[in-house]
Amino acid sequence: VLSGCGVYDGTEIHEASAILVHLSRGGAKVQMYAPDVPQMHVIDHSKGQPAEAESRNVLVESARIARGKIASLAKLTTADHDAVIFPGGFGAAKNLSTFAVDGKDCKVNKEVERVLKDFHKAGKPIGLCCISPVLAAKVLSGAEVTVGHEEEEGGKWPYAGTAGAIKELGGKHCVKEVTISFPVDFHVERQFTHVDTKNKVVTTPAFMCETELHHIFDGIGAMVKNVLKLTGK
């Protein structure tokens, strides 16, 4: 499920691409969706500032990542899919919800909420990375998720405050890494992904951390691997 195209006002493109690569490697068939709604605003990514008087549509922008093969989120049903995955990017907090503006008092797009609740009710796995775990924390009461660390640690975790917001939303936050730490866990992926086995919610910090791209890629791979494992196929 995409939220636009571009980290500051839509889907984080590297995260979406990493998810697609790992799903392809895992043998999964993929269909992409996005809500057919206007973006909260448009950011000029070369300046990091809003582009005044410009508006874009979330579905239309998401089609850039999907290479045109995308459908309205309203058409996504649990009957047609074994799992659902949400990349991060500020679009998750601006277009899929109002978290960027309202924090713990945020509202979630009605189709996003429907999809999360439907997959949860059907016992089908949900994967989320970066900022998108806030969606599960808001919609699925008591869900266990990770956005990494709970302290900024000198700027390494610039969005660490999100962990506190997750707790205020009613979720449980679990501290995880983006890179492998030592001593190495027997199951290495446990260090940078969290699996809530009760709710079948799998999360990883991704770009919540300032680190090298290959570490983001590996963490997302662990998330995708566990989502696929939970499908039982």
Side-chain angles (χ1 to χ4, degrees):
V1 176
L2 305 179
S3 62
C5 183
V7 58
Y8 297 125
D9 59 11
T11 301
E12 212 302 317
I13 299 170
H14 298 294
E15 291 179 4
S17 180
I19 289 169
L20 291 169
V21 169
H22 287 295
L23 285 172
S24 177
R25 183 171 286 155
K29 294 181 179 179
V30 177
Q31 170 64 53
M32 283 174 269
Y33 297 88
D36 188 1
V37 296
Q39 291 185 184
M40 173 185 153
H41 61 186
V42 177
I43 296 293
D44 179 338
H45 281 61
S46 69
K47 299 177 181 177
Q49 298 175 351
E52 301 297 340
E54 186 173 348
S55 63
R56 299 187 186 183
N57 177 278
V58 175
L59 177 61
V60 172
E61 290 301 297
S62 297
R64 295 175 179 271
I65 298 174
R67 298 172 63 86
K69 298 178 181 179
I70 196 165
S72 170
L73 187 58
K75 296 181 179 180
L76 195 166
T77 67
T78 56
D80 295 330
H81 301 282
D82 298 310
V84 64
I85 296 180
F86 291 79
F90 281 101
K94 293 179 176 180
N95 304 326
L96 303 188
S97 72
T98 64
F99 181 78
V101 176
D102 301 322
K104 66 181 180 63
D105 298 317
C106 68
K107 295 180 180 179
V108 175
N109 172 279
K110 64 179 182 179
E111 291 297 339
V112 173
E113 182 173 3
R114 175 189 63 80
V115 167
L116 287 169
K117 287 183 175 179
D118 285 355
F119 274 80
H120 182 255
K121 184 178 180 180
K124 294 185 175 183
I126 300 166
L128 311 102
C129 64
C130 196
I131 191 68
S132 67
V134 300
L135 302 172
K138 175 67 176 181
V139 173
L140 307 177
S141 180
E144 298 177 1
V145 301
T146 188
V147 289
H149 281 211
E150 299 181 355
E151 301 292 336
E152 292 189 16
E153 298 178 19
K156 181 179 179 181
W157 296 89
Y159 311 108
T162 306
I166 283 171
K167 296 173 185 177
E168 292 180 314
L169 287 168
K172 178 182 177 182
H173 184 258
C174 303
V175 173
K176 293 289 178 176
E177 303 294 335
V178 166
T179 60
I180 298 173
S181 59
F182 294 92
V184 175
D185 189 291
F186 179 74
H187 295 291
V188 174
E189 67 267 19
R190 289 181 180 175
Q191 295 194 31
F192 40 65
T193 191
H194 181 73
V195 181
D196 178 349
T197 53
K198 177 182 177 181
N199 293 298
K200 291 192 175 181
V201 173
V202 186
T203 51
T204 193
F207 277 106
M208 297 298 278
C209 181
E210 291 290 335
T211 188
E212 290 82 3
L213 182 59
H214 67 280
H215 294 310
I216 308 297
F217 185 87
D218 291 344
I220 287 174
M223 182 266 286
V224 169
K225 178 181 177 181
N226 279 284
V227 167
L228 294 178
K229 187 184 299 182
L230 286 173
T231 67
K233 294 189 175 183

